[in-house]
């Protein structure tokens, strides 16, 4: 640090453009001040992210308001973060544990809007698949192909409608499904490079398939059996796909809507956020592949047990991707309590 505390400039020192700049970022700066105050308790990754955020704003302020007190304020705040970062920087002995324990939930909280968008796209597309199947009996063949529909019809006639999950050895099936699911999740993420439309299209296609297949099964009087069978592994698998969609939207938004950030910085920031999310889904896809390969095939398993598995999977998804991120955010109280900025009315 340069010895001067970060201090908010008075209103008479500001221009209208500066006031607009401040209004866009004041809440974030309040939050970053509290990060400095809690630096000894913060994870180094959190400090690094905070430092990147403030230096981007400082760069903008230096370019547009080089002689303003807001630039001095941001410079001092950046210096404080830099000092805290390198003073407290240390590598954890359980880096991977920390990644899935804290980093992924925190980035999920930061990406909660993208998660809502992803879920909404998938839900609407599933509804479209359902309605299209109800109104056009040829639609399932268009979406899933004649061979798959014919195979399913044969299985239904033989009294084993979900026999498709029994046609391969469990070990080979596990590796095949695991690799395919992880590959699809990264494709959904990378499609965010197409400004998010590619990610939306991938989610839409998968949602239509799910809605179509489930509706088709109900039309064939095997709907409840298909629900218990598919969602035994699908609760984790589809949820992770929706989360991967949030990663793709984060990537797309990074360069499509940079705000006041330089587009390159905003893109890198969105890419890093999305990459953490999609990497965080890998264990979920692996577990889903294990369930699909080794458990789903036992369609004779009592419905109560399969329902219990589905409920446990759903509880995990809600806790890890929704509740835990909220809890971790509550561990960082609102920065509006910070007296440095509390009395400022811009």
């Amino acid at each position: 640090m340069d010895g001067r505390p970060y201090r908010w400039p008075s209103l008479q020192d500001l221009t209208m453009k500066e006031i607009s700049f401040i209004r866009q970022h004041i809440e974030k700066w309040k939050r970053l001040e509290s990060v400095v105050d809690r630096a000894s308790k913060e994870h180094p990754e959190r400090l690094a992210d905070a430092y990147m955020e403030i230096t981007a704003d400082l760069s903008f302020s230096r370019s547009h308001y080089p002689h303003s007190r807001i630039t001095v304020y941001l410079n001092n705040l950046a210096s404080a973060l830099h000092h805290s970062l390198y003073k407290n920087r240390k590598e954890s002995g359980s880096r991977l544990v920390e990644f899935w324990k804290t980093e992924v939930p925190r980035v999920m909280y930061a990406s909660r809007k993208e998660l809502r968008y992803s879920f909404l796209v998938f839900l609407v597309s599933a509804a479209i698949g359902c309605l299209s199947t109800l109104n056009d009996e040829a639609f399932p063949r268009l979406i899933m192909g004649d061979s798959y529909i014919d195979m399913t019809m044969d299985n239904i006639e033989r009294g084993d409608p979900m026999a498709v999950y029994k046609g391969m050895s469990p070990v080979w099936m596990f590796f095949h499904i695991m690799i395919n699911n992880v590959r699809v999740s990264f494709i959904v993420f990378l499609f965010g490079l197409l400004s998010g439309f590619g990610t939306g299209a991938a989610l839409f296609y998968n949602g239509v398939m799910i809605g179509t297949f489930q509706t088709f099964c109900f039309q064939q009087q095997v709907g409840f059996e298909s629900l218990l069978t598919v969602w035994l592994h699908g609760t984790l698998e589809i949820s992770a796909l929706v989360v991967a969609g949030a990663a793709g939207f984060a990537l797309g938004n990074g360069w499509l809507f940079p705000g006041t950030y330089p587009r390159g910085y905003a893109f890198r920031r969105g890419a890093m956020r999305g990459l953490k999310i999609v990497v965080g889904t890998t264990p979920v896809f692996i577990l889903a592949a294990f369930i699909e390969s080794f458990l789903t095939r036992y369609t004779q398993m009592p419905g109560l047990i399969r329902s219990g598995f589905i409920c446990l999977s759903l509880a995990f998804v809600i806790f890890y991707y929704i509740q835990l991120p909220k809890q971790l955010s509550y561990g960082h109280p609102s920065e509006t309590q910070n007296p440095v900025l509390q009395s400022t009315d811009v």
Side-chain angles (χ1 to χ4, degrees):
M1 271 180 88
D2 58 7
R4 294 175 293 177
Y6 43 86
R7 185 173 300 143
W8 193 251
S10 60
L11 284 178
Q12 56 265 33
D13 296 321
L14 306 176
T15 66
M16 288 304 297
K17 288 185 178 180
E18 288 176 86
I19 291 175
S20 177
F21 174 61
I22 291 167
R23 282 175 174 166
Q24 289 181 340
H25 299 285
I26 183 172
E27 294 301 323
K28 177 177 65 178
W29 296 339
K30 291 176 182 180
R31 172 171 52 82
L32 297 181
E33 282 196 18
S34 70
V35 170
V36 175
D37 294 337
R38 300 189 308 268
S40 61
K41 300 178 181 178
E42 289 284 357
H43 192 280
E45 285 283 343
R46 180 70 185 93
L47 293 174
D49 289 343
Y51 181 67
M52 290 180 65
E53 290 184 67
I54 200 61
T55 52
D57 290 341
L58 176 59
S59 176
F60 180 88
S61 184
R62 279 175 173 167
S63 299
H64 293 80
Y65 323 113
H67 306 296
S68 171
R69 287 179 59 84
I70 191 64
T71 302
V72 175
Y73 163 78
L74 292 174
N75 183 70
N76 287 330
L77 182 55
S79 297
L81 279 166
H82 183 274
H83 176 76
S84 300
L85 174 63
Y86 287 96
K87 178 181 177 182
N88 297 283
R89 193 175 186 89
K90 57 183 179 180
E91 289 297 325
S92 170
S94 54
R95 182 68 179 83
L96 288 177
V97 173
E98 285 298 315
F99 176 76
W100 274 285
K101 182 180 177 182
T102 59
E103 289 184 41
V104 172
R106 283 177 178 171
V107 80
M108 286 306 306
Y109 185 78
S111 306
R112 57 194 181 279
K113 289 184 179 179
E114 288 87 348
L115 182 62
R116 285 196 290 267
Y117 298 152
S118 182
F119 177 72
L120 183 61
V121 170
F122 186 86
L123 191 65
V124 169
S125 61
I128 290 174
C130 174
L131 292 174
S132 298
T133 303
L134 290 173
N135 289 280
D136 184 0
E137 62 180 14
F139 188 75
R141 292 183 176 274
L142 176 66
I143 296 299
M144 293 182 290
D146 290 332
S147 60
Y148 190 87
I149 293 297
D150 291 340
M151 176 188 64
T152 303
M153 293 294 293
D154 289 342
N155 291 335
I156 292 173
E157 291 178 4
R158 291 199 300 265
D160 193 1
M162 297 293 108
V164 64
Y165 294 102
K166 306 174 183 179
M168 190 183 298
S169 72
V171 175
W172 174 251
M173 187 175 178
F174 168 71
F175 284 105
H176 174 76
I177 293 174
M178 177 188 67
I179 293 171
N180 181 70
N181 286 347
V182 173
R183 179 183 63 84
V184 169
S185 69
F186 275 89
I187 289 175
V188 170
F189 165 58
L190 292 174
F191 273 180
L193 292 170
L194 303 176
S195 69
F197 292 110
T199 295
L203 287 169
F204 184 84
Y205 175 74
N206 282 276
V208 168
M209 285 188 64
I210 289 293
T212 299
F213 179 73
Q214 294 288 196
T215 306
F216 171 77
C217 288
F218 272 99
Q219 288 177 330
Q220 304 303 318
Q221 309 301 316
V222 292
F224 288 107
E225 176 61 27
S226 73
L227 287 176
L228 290 174
T229 302
V230 172
W231 291 97
L232 186 65
H233 60 272
T235 304
L236 293 178
E237 184 176 277
I238 298 302
S239 298
L241 179 65
V242 171
V243 172
F249 286 135
L251 175 62
N253 290 344
W255 72 269
L256 192 62
F257 304 108
T260 59
Y261 294 124
R263 193 173 298 274
Y265 169 80
F267 172 75
R268 291 192 299 273
R269 188 165 175 259
M272 182 57 67
R273 184 153 56 101
L275 185 60
K276 285 184 178 182
I277 293 173
V278 76
V279 169
T281 63
T282 302
V284 182
F285 278 120
I286 293 174
L287 181 57
F290 178 86
I291 294 174
E292 184 173 359
S293 304
F294 292 94
L295 297 181
T296 300
R297 63 181 55 238
Y298 294 108
T299 54
Q300 72 275 17
M301 191 186 305
L304 186 61
I305 295 178
R306 288 191 285 176
S307 299
F309 266 101
I310 293 172
C311 291
L312 284 175
S313 298
L314 182 60
F316 166 77
V317 169
I318 293 173
F319 171 75
Y320 188 71
Y321 288 111
I322 299 175
Q323 189 60 35
L324 182 58
K326 287 183 179 179
Q327 289 179 0
L328 290 176
S329 73
Y330 294 153
H332 297 76
S334 175
E335 288 79 6
T336 56
Q337 300 175 0
N338 193 318
V340 175
L341 296 179
Q342 196 173 31
S343 60
T344 302
D345 184 15
V346 178

